[in-house]
Amino acid sequence: MKLAVVGGGSTYTPELIDGFARLRDTLPVEELVLVDPALDRLELVGGLARRIFAKQGHPGRITTTDDLDAGVADADAVLLQLRVGGQAARNEDETWPLECGCVGQETTGAGGLAKALRTVPVVLDIAERVRRANPDAWIIDFTNPVGIVTRALLQAGHKAVGLCNVAIGFQRKFATMLGVAPTDVHLDHVGLNHLTWETQVRLGGPEGENVLPKLLAEHGDAIAADLRLPSGVLDRLGVVPSYYLRYFYAHDEVVRELGTKPSRAAEVAEMERELLTMYGDPALDEKPALLGRRGGAYYSEAAVDLAASLLGGGGSPYQVVNTRNRGTLPFLPDDAVIEVQAAVGHSGAAPLPVAPVDPLFAGLMANVTAYEDLALEAALRGGRERVFRALLAHPLVGQYALADGLTDRLIAHNREHLAWA
């Protein structure tokens, strides 16, 4: 089995490598190719990756290349973990929206739209080259904004599934609180990427006992603290929202906070400098503890599980993924990309049935889905007016003067990445 990781020079990659090494019985990788145009970073990451495999006794071969076509040739699956424009572009996504009193964040709001506009054309070019090299290869997308990027891939006819680590993070957290194994926890996880709610937490599988009321009664304060929301909000909702919902439920509070500290991009850039120095140490043969602060917790386990199921291996029968709606949520179009539990196998992901969704959550999903439609149109066709329409539709913007100002800033800060600008 051959896998390729596009964006393999990312400081995330050792987390992924560690998962491949530990879970080699689930996903027996014979060759892993790390593909990245940044050869200096790639060699540092690739060296550490080989040492991790060697220490854990993995027999697979790790190679590195800046040649995308060579790297994906004959690959059974290609994982995408790109950041077009790097941390510098992310820093801008997190700062210029604040000038208009809007949240600055890399996956939602105006910053998230900027990232989508930069990213979708690049991902589609990569996917087309993967299809030419091997039309049977699966594409696993971890590149944000995952929902929009996955929809672009599926709309273009690619074999693609989107992946996020929010659900597996909740699964692990709830398992610890309940004193059970993570595999015993099944989430009724519903929504769009980075706009999700845990509506039930079941023990043993999709038909198991719902223990969410018990979790909220015994651990509600701790869960709310992690989400940085008042515990009373969880009591009133009766569900556990993703931490990304704080951008919607406490928008103005978040904006005030963001204006008083360095951007997350600046923090991550400093961490990356430290990590790359560590990766260059020939004595280092495991992922460093600092990587845990970088983000992407449990990404490797989720990626291995998904790849194993898609490639006919021993992955879990049910996994939270991003895939086509296909009537699962009747208030959304069939071709919308939703994030839910799905049965995953060699033919792809089939969403499990979802109980009727509270209008409080369904309304926001529908609103953001409409924004994503317009965002993808802007990413594919370009043009100032399409950018403006997407921003005007976003529930965190929604005013024409605000959308106009954000549009001008978005284009000014991203001109080098927008062929039409």
Side-chain angles (χ1 to χ4, degrees), residues 26-237:
T26 301
L27 187 68
V29 178
E30 297 166 298
E31 182 180 1
L32 180 63
V33 185
L34 307 181
V35 184
D36 203 296
L39 284 173
D40 52 344
R41 292 171 59 109
L42 185 60
E43 289 312 309
L44 292 173
V45 173
L48 175 57
R50 295 184 190 99
R51 296 192 296 274
I52 291 173
F53 262 32
K55 180 180 182 180
Q56 300 198 31
H58 195 298
R61 181 165 64 102
I62 295 178
T63 59
T64 58
T65 182
D66 62 348
D67 185 334
L68 175 68
D69 297 310
V72 303
D74 302 319
D76 297 289
V78 178
L79 282 70
L80 304 182
Q81 51 175 37
L82 311 177
R83 186 179 296 282
V84 179
Q87 294 298 333
R90 176 183 180 175
N91 184 67
E92 294 189 351
D93 293 344
E94 294 176 341
T95 52
W96 56 261
L98 295 174
E99 298 170 4
C100 297
C102 291
V103 67
Q105 212 278 330
E106 64 161 343
T107 63
T108 194
L113 176 60
K115 186 167 191 183
L117 298 182
R118 294 193 305 269
T119 304
V120 166
V122 174
V123 166
L124 289 179
D125 177 66
I126 292 168
E128 191 56 43
R129 291 162 73 176
V130 170
R131 179 156 54 188
R132 289 199 298 267
N134 181 7
D136 292 325
W138 278 101
I139 295 175
I140 297 173
D141 178 61
F142 195 67
T143 296
N144 282 319
V146 168
I148 295 172
V149 172
T150 302
R151 185 166 184 178
L153 288 165
L154 293 172
Q155 187 171 291
H158 297 290
K159 292 177 61 177
V161 180
L163 182 64
C164 180
N165 68 328
V166 167
I168 193 172
F170 275 130
Q171 181 200 44
R172 299 304 175 88
K173 184 188 302 292
F174 295 160
T176 298
M177 291 174 170
L178 293 165
V180 301
T183 52
D184 290 334
V185 175
H186 178 96
L187 303 176
D188 283 11
H189 176 104
V190 61
L192 314 178
N193 179 243
H194 289 186
L195 194 85
T196 53
W197 295 261
E198 312 308 323
T199 59
Q200 299 192 73
V201 178
R202 300 179 181 273
L203 289 182
E207 305 302 323
E209 176 192 2
N210 175 29
V211 295
L212 180 57
K214 170 185 171 70
L215 274 170
L216 290 176
E218 297 180 1
H219 303 282
D221 289 347
I223 296 170
D226 282 347
L227 301 173
R228 301 187 64 200
L229 288 171
S231 59
V233 172
L234 271 61
D235 294 336
R236 296 171 73 178
L237 295 177

Side-chain angles (χ1 to χ4, degrees), residues 213-297:
K214 170 185 171 70
L215 274 170
L216 290 176
E218 297 180 1
H219 303 282
D221 289 347
I223 296 170
D226 282 347
L227 301 173
R228 301 187 64 200
L229 288 171
S231 59
V233 172
L234 271 61
D235 294 336
R236 296 171 73 178
L237 295 177
V239 302
V240 177
S242 158
Y243 53 85
Y244 286 94
L245 265 297
R246 186 168 184 259
Y247 297 119
F248 294 82
Y249 292 160
H251 176 272
D252 294 352
E253 179 182 339
V254 172
V255 169
R256 287 192 294 271
E257 288 176 4
L258 293 175
T260 65
K261 61 183 182 179
S263 69
R264 173 63 177 166
E267 295 174 357
V268 170
E270 179 56 36
M271 274 186 247
E272 288 197 331
R273 285 189 285 271
E274 293 182 48
L275 286 169
L276 289 170
T277 299
M278 293 177 180
Y279 295 172
D281 179 356
L284 183 67
D285 56 8
E286 60 186 12
K287 63 177 184 179
L290 178 61
L291 188 56
R293 292 169 46 207
R294 170 69 179 81

